[in-house]
Amino acid sequence: MDLAEAVSENRINSILAEKGEEPSPGELSRILEKAACKKGLDLHEVAALLSISSQEGIERLFQASSKVKREIYGNRLVWFAPLYLSNYCTNSCAYCGFSALNRSLSRKKLSMQEVAEETRALIKMGHKRLLVECGEDEKEAPIDYVVEAIKTIYSTKEGKGEIRRVNVNIAATTKENYAKLKAAGIGTYQLFQETYHRPTYERVHFGFKRDFERQLTAHCRAFEAGIDDYGLGVLFGLYDYRFEVLALVSHAQWMERTYGVGPHTLSVPRIRPAQGVIFIPPSPVSDTDFLKIIAVLRLAVPYTGMILSTREAPGLREKAFEIGISQASAGSRTSPGAYSSGEAPAEQFEISDRRTPHEILESICAKGFLPSFCTACYRSKRTGEAFMRLAKTGEINKLCTPNALLTFKEFLEDYASPKLKEEGEQLIAKMTSEVEPAKREEFIRRLKRIEKGERDLFF
Ligand code: SAM
Ligand code: SF4
């Protein structure tokens, strides 16, 4: 079966049609027991979970996904921020503030000096990972411009900090261009299908992006160009979420079957208002359904990182962290230049969680989460298949726990208020017992070295 067939309307609809009703308590138990083994679910089981609507069923689903999340990721949450390079775009996606048809948007493209200023502003917030984003415009933001920006980001230092992993979310492109991104040392290449429903896709996209196949096969080209950490996603609100989740899981499974490596991350953006654009989401997703989507994805592809952005409000985000999300953005701005200028005249869309990273960390620490700024795997070449092997055997936890603690320690030393520092130190002391005995002494030595001013120590 080729990829187009794997996500085709016929195939997805026929699976959905078989599972019209909520699964019986017995059937739900069987599926949740299977999910607890952390081997993933087939598409029929995913469809069954998506049809849950009773309160009792939803609670059982959340309990199961929270357990799987804890077993795989512990209490860790990895943090990053987007860096928008340019809002020039030749496409006119109906929902997006950067649409070429949005005449009220002031267009801006960062110079390399501005890229460095934005990077410094983000480093001062404590960030170590960025997600580079821009509109599609071959003249204003060609691949060489993006590559130069990535090099600028990696070479920028501020105080004791620097950016250690640059992920990228730019328009679908050629294998040659993906090879250039790989050579620039990117982490994950993310691209969202937006909607897997072809008629809807063709209704809301104009310009080069209108080509459904170009978007769908982009990760194949990226993988063939050597990018083995890739991320998939759906823009929720464009079409029925059950269809989208099923197609997304089918895409992930097809990639794993074909290339031997499933996606490194899944993203679940929901449509937000964008200035200058009038777009009413045709299939809005409620908060409860949104959380259900996250829980189902966690059980369907348990070892895949799941990303949540500041599009979502603080309270909902914290629930999502419990039931499945493993990575999140903090302090985000969606307008090029906004971090250093403090102004955001040209946003892609409005965000909901406007707290600073420091405020977010205070809140999540109080709820028992461990913030992580770790970038160790990518820099130790544990990517793609090598990463998945460690993840699936649970071996990765022996590295993630001490690495998360070491990067949090750096944050406490360099960016935290006295109150967060005190609470964070208590958390580190409490969690030191969770570092595997073989590494514990060395881990404690490294904590001391960080106190003395060394940085970037990892396992
Ligand atoms: N321009 C490239 C593209 O479209 O693939 C790069 C990524 S774009 C900067 C990042 C993502 O923002 C898009 O893939 C889309 O899913 C999302 N997005 C666009 N408009 C949005 C809106 N109004 N609300 C929420 N997300 C939006
Ligand atoms: Fe351009 Fe991307 Fe916005 Fe579409 S979603 S208008 S391609 S920036």
Side-chain angles (χ1 to χ4, degrees):
M1 188 186 326
D2 66 12
L3 176 54
E5 203 185 329
V7 301
S8 71
E9 220 182 321
N10 274 348
R11 178 161 191 257
I12 303 299
N13 277 340
S14 73
I15 297 170
L16 281 174
E18 279 171 37
K19 290 279 169 199
E21 282 166 29
E22 171 146 2
S24 66
E27 169 72 347
L28 183 57
S29 298
R30 185 196 68 75
I31 298 172
L32 295 181
E33 271 162 34
K34 179 175 171 195
C37 302
K38 302 185 289 257
K39 296 231 179 333
L41 297 174
D42 68 32
L43 294 181
H44 297 274
E45 291 156 345
V46 173
L49 293 186
L50 288 167
S51 66
I52 297 174
S53 60
S54 69
Q55 193 53 36
E56 196 198 328
I58 287 184
E59 265 156 36
R60 290 183 67 193
L61 172 69
F62 288 175
Q63 269 168 19
S65 70
S66 303
K67 189 158 176 282
V68 165
K69 154 104 208 270
R70 282 257 154 191
E71 284 173 12
I72 296 177
Y73 298 93
N75 58 347
R76 297 183 302 277
L77 268 175
V78 172
W79 296 94
F80 73 96
L83 198 174
Y84 280 77
L85 300 179
S86 159
N87 62 15
Y88 284 93
C89 193
T90 55
N91 296 316
S92 29
C93 306
Y95 45 80
C96 178
F98 293 173
S99 159
L101 296 176
N102 187 0
R103 307 262 181 255
S104 67
L105 186 91
S106 61
R107 301 282 162 178
K108 180 164 177 64
K109 162 189 169 182
L110 300 183
S111 66
M112 288 308 134
Q113 196 186 333
E114 288 170 321
V115 170
E117 277 165 24
E118 289 287 90
T119 306
R120 279 194 287 273
L122 285 157
I123 296 171
K124 279 191 205 159
M125 294 181 198
H127 283 297
K128 300 283 185 268
R129 296 179 169 227
L130 298 185
L131 176 63
V132 157
E133 313 216 28
C134 64
E136 177 173 11
D137 191 320
E138 190 42 48
K139 254 193 13 244
E140 296 292 344
I143 196 75
D144 294 338
Y145 166 78
V146 176
V147 164
E148 204 189 338
I150 294 166
K151 289 185 178 153
T152 304
I153 294 167
Y154 277 133
S155 62
T156 301
K157 306 268 181 248
E158 173 66 35
K160 292 202 173 88
E162 76 259 294
I163 297 302
R164 299 174 185 159
R165 176 173 177 138
V166 179
N167 298 329
V168 173
N169 180 356
I170 61 164
T173 186
T174 59
K175 197 169 152 185
E176 291 68 35
N177 286 349
Y178 286 128
K180 288 186 181 182
L181 290 179
K182 172 73 185 169
I186 69 160
T188 313
Y189 171 67
Q190 300 178 10
L191 182 73
F192 312 151
Q193 184 58 33
E194 319 295 12
T195 172
Y196 285 91
H197 187 251
R198 190 188 285 254
T200 304
Y201 187 93
E202 289 170 355
R203 217 169 20 248
V204 296
H205 295 111
F206 303 92
F208 293 120
K209 190 164 164 184
R210 188 143 196 254
D211 183 342
F212 185 85
E213 249 83 38
R214 186 191 79 151
Q215 194 84 353
L216 186 65
T217 53
H219 307 87
C220 302
R221 292 189 295 284
F223 196 91
E224 285 158 15
I227 299 176
D228 56 358
D229 276 359
Y230 62 89
L232 309 179
V234 161
L235 181 60
F236 285 100
L238 293 175
Y239 191 65
D240 179 21
Y241 74 85
R242 295 171 194 85
F243 182 96
E244 302 287 25
V245 172
L246 216 51
L248 178 63
V249 175
S250 182
H251 188 175
Q253 292 178 347
W254 186 90
M255 291 293 290
E256 177 150 16
R257 278 198 305 274
T258 307
Y259 294 103
V261 186
H264 192 69
T265 55
L266 295 182
S267 299
V268 290
R270 261 198 306 187
I271 295 176
R272 295 281 303 149
Q275 248 189 25
V277 168
I278 298 169
F279 184 75
I280 297 163
S283 305
V285 175
S286 70
D287 286 356
T288 306
D289 286 338
F290 185 63
L291 291 171
K292 188 168 88 175
I293 290 168
I294 291 169
V296 172
L297 287 172
R298 175 50 62 229
L299 297 179
V301 277
Y303 290 96
T304 300
M306 217 191 309
I307 302 177
L308 191 66
S309 75
T310 55
R311 290 174 181 86
E312 303 301 335
L316 188 82
R317 293 225 299 168
E318 286 176 9
K319 178 71 185 167
F321 298 157
E322 265 170 41
I323 64 167
I325 295 296
S326 55
Q327 299 185 22
S329 50
S332 309
R333 295 285 174 270
T334 68
S335 178
Y339 294 114
S340 38
S341 71
E343 288 161 19
E347 285 185 333
Q348 190 190 20
F349 51 82
E350 289 172 17
I351 58 171
S352 291
D353 189 345
R354 299 197 152 266
R355 296 172 298 170
T356 63
H358 194 282
E359 286 165 344
I360 294 178
L361 259 52
E362 277 175 341
S363 171
I364 63 143
C365 281
K367 296 197 164 64
F369 290 106
L370 168 65
S372 172
F373 294 89
C374 182
T375 56
C377 277
Y378 142 80
R379 287 183 310 139
S380 307
K381 306 238 174 326
R382 296 190 293 259
T383 61
E385 210 249 321
F387 172 82
M388 280 300 168
R389 207 174 337 107
L390 283 172
K392 288 182 179 174
T393 54
E395 281 295 297
I396 199 82
N397 276 319
K398 295 184 182 163
L399 302 164
C400 294
T401 304
N403 284 336
L405 289 164
L406 290 172
T407 56
F408 185 40
K409 174 76 175 169
E410 288 187 338
F411 185 94
L412 296 177
E413 291 294 315
D414 295 338
Y415 310 106
S417 67
K419 180 171 167 278
L420 180 57
K421 188 155 196 266
E422 194 188 322
E423 287 166 6
E425 292 293 354
Q426 282 169 12
L427 183 61
I428 293 176
K430 196 168 119 205
M431 288 197 63
T432 296
S433 61
E434 290 180 31
V435 175
E436 64 153 339
K439 291 199 175 60
R440 206 173 297 150
E441 262 183 45
E442 178 55 24
F443 167 73
I444 293 168
R445 264 198 297 277
R446 290 184 186 195
L447 283 178
K448 295 255 172 333
R449 283 166 61 190
I450 291 173
E451 269 169 27
K452 291 203 175 103
E454 274 188 76
R455 293 291 172 268
D456 203 14
L457 304 174
F458 58 87
F459 291 96

mmCIF file with all atom_site columns, all heavy atoms in Angstrom, residues 347-359:
data_model
loop_
_atom_site.group_PDB
_atom_site.id
_atom_site.type_symbol
_atom_site.label_atom_id
_atom_site.label_alt_id
_atom_site.label_comp_id
_atom_site.label_asym_id
_atom_site.label_entity_id
_atom_site.label_seq_id
_atom_site.pdbx_PDB_ins_code
_atom_site.Cartn_x
_atom_site.Cartn_y
_atom_site.Cartn_z
_atom_site.occupancy
_atom_site.B_iso_or_equiv
_atom_site.pdbx_formal_charge
_atom_site.auth_seq_id
_atom_site.auth_comp_id
_atom_site.auth_asym_id
_atom_site.auth_atom_id
_atom_site.pdbx_PDB_model_num
ATOM 1   N N   . GLU A 1 347 ? 1.718  39.053 13.731 1.00 0.00 ? 347 GLU A N   1
ATOM 2   C CA  . GLU A 1 347 ? 1.626  37.675 14.231 1.00 0.00 ? 347 GLU A CA  1
ATOM 3   C C   . GLU A 1 347 ? 1.012  36.718 13.210 1.00 0.00 ? 347 GLU A C   1
ATOM 4   O O   . GLU A 1 347 ? 0.131  37.101 12.443 1.00 0.00 ? 347 GLU A O   1
ATOM 5   C CB  . GLU A 1 347 ? 0.705  37.653 15.454 1.00 0.00 ? 347 GLU A CB  1
ATOM 6   C CG  . GLU A 1 347 ? 1.328  38.205 16.708 1.00 0.00 ? 347 GLU A CG  1
ATOM 7   C CD  . GLU A 1 347 ? 0.397  38.021 17.893 1.00 0.00 ? 347 GLU A CD  1
ATOM 8   O OE1 . GLU A 1 347 ? -0.826 37.965 17.692 1.00 0.00 ? 347 GLU A OE1 1
ATOM 9   O OE2 . GLU A 1 347 ? 0.910  37.917 19.005 1.00 0.00 ? 347 GLU A OE2 1
ATOM 10  N N   . GLN A 1 348 ? 1.436  35.446 13.323 1.00 0.00 ? 348 GLN A N   1
ATOM 11  C CA  . GLN A 1 348 ? 0.814  34.429 12.480 1.00 0.00 ? 348 GLN A CA  1
ATOM 12  C C   . GLN A 1 348 ? -0.580 34.080 13.024 1.00 0.00 ? 348 GLN A C   1
ATOM 13  O O   . GLN A 1 348 ? -1.514 33.866 12.292 1.00 0.00 ? 348 GLN A O   1
ATOM 14  C CB  . GLN A 1 348 ? 1.681  33.171 12.420 1.00 0.00 ? 348 GLN A CB  1
ATOM 15  C CG  . GLN A 1 348 ? 1.198  32.202 11.362 1.00 0.00 ? 348 GLN A CG  1
ATOM 16  C CD  . GLN A 1 348 ? 1.879  30.860 11.425 1.00 0.00 ? 348 GLN A CD  1
ATOM 17  O OE1 . GLN A 1 348 ? 2.442  30.475 12.439 1.00 0.00 ? 348 GLN A OE1 1
ATOM 18  N NE2 . GLN A 1 348 ? 1.806  30.136 10.335 1.00 0.00 ? 348 GLN A NE2 1
ATOM 19  N N   . PHE A 1 349 ? -0.673 34.004 14.348 1.00 0.00 ? 349 PHE A N   1
ATOM 20  C CA  . PHE A 1 349 ? -1.962 33.748 15.016 1.00 0.00 ? 349 PHE A CA  1
ATOM 21  C C   . PHE A 1 349 ? -1.794 34.179 16.466 1.00 0.00 ? 349 PHE A C   1
ATOM 22  O O   . PHE A 1 349 ? -0.671 34.391 16.929 1.00 0.00 ? 349 PHE A O   1
ATOM 23  C CB  . PHE A 1 349 ? -2.347 32.256 14.932 1.00 0.00 ? 349 PHE A CB  1
ATOM 24  C CG  . PHE A 1 349 ? -1.253 31.332 15.393 1.00 0.00 ? 349 PHE A CG  1
ATOM 25  C CD1 . PHE A 1 349 ? -1.050 31.061 16.728 1.00 0.00 ? 349 PHE A CD1 1
ATOM 26  C CD2 . PHE A 1 349 ? -0.385 30.748 14.463 1.00 0.00 ? 349 PHE A CD2 1
ATOM 27  C CE1 . PHE A 1 349 ? -0.021 30.230 17.150 1.00 0.00 ? 349 PHE A CE1 1
ATOM 28  C CE2 . PHE A 1 349 ? 0.653  29.927 14.879 1.00 0.00 ? 349 PHE A CE2 1
ATOM 29  C CZ  . PHE A 1 349 ? 0.828  29.666 16.229 1.00 0.00 ? 349 PHE A CZ  1
ATOM 30  N N   . GLU A 1 350 ? -2.936 34.311 17.164 1.00 0.00 ? 350 GLU A N   1
ATOM 31  C CA  . GLU A 1 350 ? -2.877 34.730 18.575 1.00 0.00 ? 350 GLU A CA  1
ATOM 32  C C   . GLU A 1 350 ? -2.545 33.526 19.452 1.00 0.00 ? 350 GLU A C   1
ATOM 33  O O   . GLU A 1 350 ? -3.063 32.435 19.206 1.00 0.00 ? 350 GLU A O   1
ATOM 34  C CB  . GLU A 1 350 ? -4.241 35.277 19.005 1.00 0.00 ? 350 GLU A CB  1
ATOM 35  C CG  . GLU A 1 350 ? -4.566 36.607 18.389 1.00 0.00 ? 350 GLU A CG  1
ATOM 36  C CD  . GLU A 1 350 ? -6.008 37.024 18.681 1.00 0.00 ? 350 GLU A CD  1
ATOM 37  O OE1 . GLU A 1 350 ? -6.634 36.463 19.606 1.00 0.00 ? 350 GLU A OE1 1
ATOM 38  O OE2 . GLU A 1 350 ? -6.495 37.898 17.953 1.00 0.00 ? 350 GLU A OE2 1
ATOM 39  N N   . ILE A 1 351 ? -1.735 33.771 20.477 1.00 0.00 ? 351 ILE A N   1
ATOM 40  C CA  . ILE A 1 351 ? -1.462 32.666 21.400 1.00 0.00 ? 351 ILE A CA  1
ATOM 41  C C   . ILE A 1 351 ? -2.354 32.811 22.640 1.00 0.00 ? 351 ILE A C   1
ATOM 42  O O   . ILE A 1 351 ? -2.912 33.879 22.883 1.00 0.00 ? 351 ILE A O   1
ATOM 43  C CB  . ILE A 1 351 ? 0.033  32.598 21.786 1.00 0.00 ? 351 ILE A CB  1
ATOM 44  C CG1 . ILE A 1 351 ? 0.490  33.905 22.417 1.00 0.00 ? 351 ILE A CG1 1
ATOM 45  C CG2 . ILE A 1 351 ? 0.883  32.258 20.591 1.00 0.00 ? 351 ILE A CG2 1
ATOM 46  C CD1 . ILE A 1 351 ? 1.867  33.802 22.985 1.00 0.00 ? 351 ILE A CD1 1
ATOM 47  N N   . SER A 1 352 ? -2.463 31.733 23.430 1.00 0.00 ? 352 SER A N   1
ATOM 48  C CA  . SER A 1 352 ? -3.322 31.768 24.620 1.00 0.00 ? 352 SER A CA  1
ATOM 49  C C   . SER A 1 352 ? -2.522 31.756 25.910 1.00 0.00 ? 352 SER A C   1
ATOM 50  O O   . SER A 1 352 ? -2.927 32.374 26.886 1.00 0.00 ? 352 SER A O   1
ATOM 51  C CB  . SER A 1 352 ? -4.225 30.537 24.665 1.00 0.00 ? 352 SER A CB  1
ATOM 52  O OG  . SER A 1 352 ? -5.156 30.588 23.671 1.00 0.00 ? 352 SER A OG  1
ATOM 53  N N   . ASP A 1 353 ? -1.433 31.005 25.928 1.00 0.00 ? 353 ASP A N   1
ATOM 54  C CA  . ASP A 1 353 ? -0.617 30.946 27.141 1.00 0.00 ? 353 ASP A CA  1
ATOM 55  C C   . ASP A 1 353 ? 0.472  32.010 27.016 1.00 0.00 ? 353 ASP A C   1
ATOM 56  O O   . ASP A 1 353 ? 1.488  31.798 26.360 1.00 0.00 ? 353 ASP A O   1
ATOM 57  C CB  . ASP A 1 353 ? -0.007 29.540 27.308 1.00 0.00 ? 353 ASP A CB  1
ATOM 58  C CG  . ASP A 1 353 ? 0.672  29.386 28.663 1.00 0.00 ? 353 ASP A CG  1
ATOM 59  O OD1 . ASP A 1 353 ? 0.914  30.418 29.330 1.00 0.00 ? 353 ASP A OD1 1
ATOM 60  O OD2 . ASP A 1 353 ? 0.956  28.236 29.057 1.00 0.00 ? 353 ASP A OD2 1
ATOM 61  N N   . ARG A 1 354 ? 0.249  33.148 27.662 1.00 0.00 ? 354 ARG A N   1
ATOM 62  C CA  . ARG A 1 354 ? 1.154  34.286 27.501 1.00 0.00 ? 354 ARG A CA  1
ATOM 63  C C   . ARG A 1 354 ? 2.157  34.388 28.650 1.00 0.00 ? 354 ARG A C   1
ATOM 64  O O   . ARG A 1 354 ? 2.856  35.382 28.808 1.00 0.00 ? 354 ARG A O   1
ATOM 65  C CB  . ARG A 1 354 ? 0.364  35.599 27.409 1.00 0.00 ? 354 ARG A CB  1
ATOM 66  C CG  . ARG A 1 354 ? -0.568 35.622 26.221 1.00 0.00 ? 354 ARG A CG  1
ATOM 67  C CD  . ARG A 1 354 ? -1.056 37.007 25.854 1.00 0.00 ? 354 ARG A CD  1
ATOM 68  N NE  . ARG A 1 354 ? -1.364 37.060 24.443 1.00 0.00 ? 354 ARG A NE  1
ATOM 69  C CZ  . ARG A 1 354 ? -0.526 37.468 23.501 1.00 0.00 ? 354 ARG A CZ  1
ATOM 70  N NH1 . ARG A 1 354 ? 0.667  37.916 23.809 1.00 0.00 ? 354 ARG A NH1 1
ATOM 71  N NH2 . ARG A 1 354 ? -0.874 37.456 22.230 1.00 0.00 ? 354 ARG A NH2 1
ATOM 72  N N   . ARG A 1 355 ? 2.213  33.378 29.488 1.00 0.00 ? 355 ARG A N   1
ATOM 73  C CA  . ARG A 1 355 ? 3.145  33.432 30.630 1.00 0.00 ? 355 ARG A CA  1
ATOM 74  C C   . ARG A 1 355 ? 4.592  33.329 30.151 1.00 0.00 ? 355 ARG A C   1
ATOM 75  O O   . ARG A 1 355 ? 4.876  32.784 29.085 1.00 0.00 ? 355 ARG A O   1
ATOM 76  C CB  . ARG A 1 355 ? 2.850  32.265 31.598 1.00 0.00 ? 355 ARG A CB  1
ATOM 77  C CG  . ARG A 1 355 ? 1.481  32.334 32.240 1.00 0.00 ? 355 ARG A CG  1
ATOM 78  C CD  . ARG A 1 355 ? 1.184  31.063 33.025 1.00 0.00 ? 355 ARG A CD  1
ATOM 79  N NE  . ARG A 1 355 ? 1.154  29.885 32.157 1.00 0.00 ? 355 ARG A NE  1
ATOM 80  C CZ  . ARG A 1 355 ? 1.102  28.632 32.581 1.00 0.00 ? 355 ARG A CZ  1
ATOM 81  N NH1 . ARG A 1 355 ? 1.072  28.386 33.881 1.00 0.00 ? 355 ARG A NH1 1
ATOM 82  N NH2 . ARG A 1 355 ? 1.079  27.630 31.735 1.00 0.00 ? 355 ARG A NH2 1
ATOM 83  N N   . THR A 1 356 ? 5.497  33.874 30.960 1.00 0.00 ? 356 THR A N   1
ATOM 84  C CA  . THR A 1 356 ? 6.923  33.730 30.637 1.00 0.00 ? 356 THR A CA  1
ATOM 85  C C   . THR A 1 356 ? 7.337  32.287 30.944 1.00 0.00 ? 356 THR A C   1
ATOM 86  O O   . THR A 1 356 ? 6.670  31.597 31.733 1.00 0.00 ? 356 THR A O   1
ATOM 87  C CB  . THR A 1 356 ? 7.789  34.660 31.512 1.00 0.00 ? 356 THR A CB  1
ATOM 88  O OG1 . THR A 1 356 ? 7.614  34.243 32.880 1.00 0.00 ? 356 THR A OG1 1
ATOM 89  C CG2 . THR A 1 356 ? 7.396  36.120 31.350 1.00 0.00 ? 356 THR A CG2 1
ATOM 90  N N   . PRO A 1 357 ? 8.474  31.841 30.367 1.00 0.00 ? 357 PRO A N   1
ATOM 91  C CA  . PRO A 1 357 ? 8.942  30.490 30.714 1.00 0.00 ? 357 PRO A CA  1
ATOM 92  C C   . PRO A 1 357 ? 9.122  30.335 32.230 1.00 0.00 ? 357 PRO A C   1
ATOM 93  O O   . PRO A 1 357 ? 8.785  29.292 32.795 1.00 0.00 ? 357 PRO A O   1
ATOM 94  C CB  . PRO A 1 357 ? 10.283 30.387 29.981 1.00 0.00 ? 357 PRO A CB  1
ATOM 95  C CG  . PRO A 1 357 ? 10.145 31.312 28.824 1.00 0.00 ? 357 PRO A CG  1
ATOM 96  C CD  . PRO A 1 357 ? 9.276  32.450 29.293 1.00 0.00 ? 357 PRO A CD  1
ATOM 97  N N   . HIS A 1 358 ? 9.620  31.386 32.879 1.00 0.00 ? 358 HIS A N   1
ATOM 98  C CA  . HIS A 1 358 ? 9.836  31.303 34.325 1.00 0.00 ? 358 HIS A CA  1
ATOM 99  C C   . HIS A 1 358 ? 8.519  31.057 35.050 1.00 0.00 ? 358 HIS A C   1
ATOM 100 O O   . HIS A 1 358 ? 8.421  30.190 35.931 1.00 0.00 ? 358 HIS A O   1
ATOM 101 C CB  . HIS A 1 358 ? 10.511 32.588 34.829 1.00 0.00 ? 358 HIS A CB  1
ATOM 102 C CG  . HIS A 1 358 ? 11.066 32.471 36.204 1.00 0.00 ? 358 HIS A CG  1
ATOM 103 N ND1 . HIS A 1 358 ? 10.264 32.534 37.330 1.00 0.00 ? 358 HIS A ND1 1
ATOM 104 C CD2 . HIS A 1 358 ? 12.326 32.265 36.655 1.00 0.00 ? 358 HIS A CD2 1
ATOM 105 C CE1 . HIS A 1 358 ? 11.015 32.385 38.402 1.00 0.00 ? 358 HIS A CE1 1
ATOM 106 N NE2 . HIS A 1 358 ? 12.278 32.219 38.030 1.00 0.00 ? 358 HIS A NE2 1
ATOM 107 N N   . GLU A 1 359 ? 7.473  31.798 34.668 1.00 0.00 ? 359 GLU A N   1
ATOM 108 C CA  . GLU A 1 359 ? 6.159  31.613 35.309 1.00 0.00 ? 359 GLU A CA  1
ATOM 109 C C   . GLU A 1 359 ? 5.629  30.207 35.049 1.00 0.00 ? 359 GLU A C   1
ATOM 110 O O   . GLU A 1 359 ? 5.052  29.570 35.935 1.00 0.00 ? 359 GLU A O   1
ATOM 111 C CB  . GLU A 1 359 ? 5.159  32.646 34.764 1.00 0.00 ? 359 GLU A CB  1
ATOM 112 C CG  . GLU A 1 359 ? 5.401  34.040 35.308 1.00 0.00 ? 359 GLU A CG  1
ATOM 113 C CD  . GLU A 1 359 ? 4.660  35.140 34.524 1.00 0.00 ? 359 GLU A CD  1
ATOM 114 O OE1 . GLU A 1 359 ? 4.193  34.893 33.386 1.00 0.00 ? 359 GLU A OE1 1
ATOM 115 O OE2 . GLU A 1 359 ? 4.585  36.251 35.051 1.00 0.00 ? 359 GLU A OE2 1
#
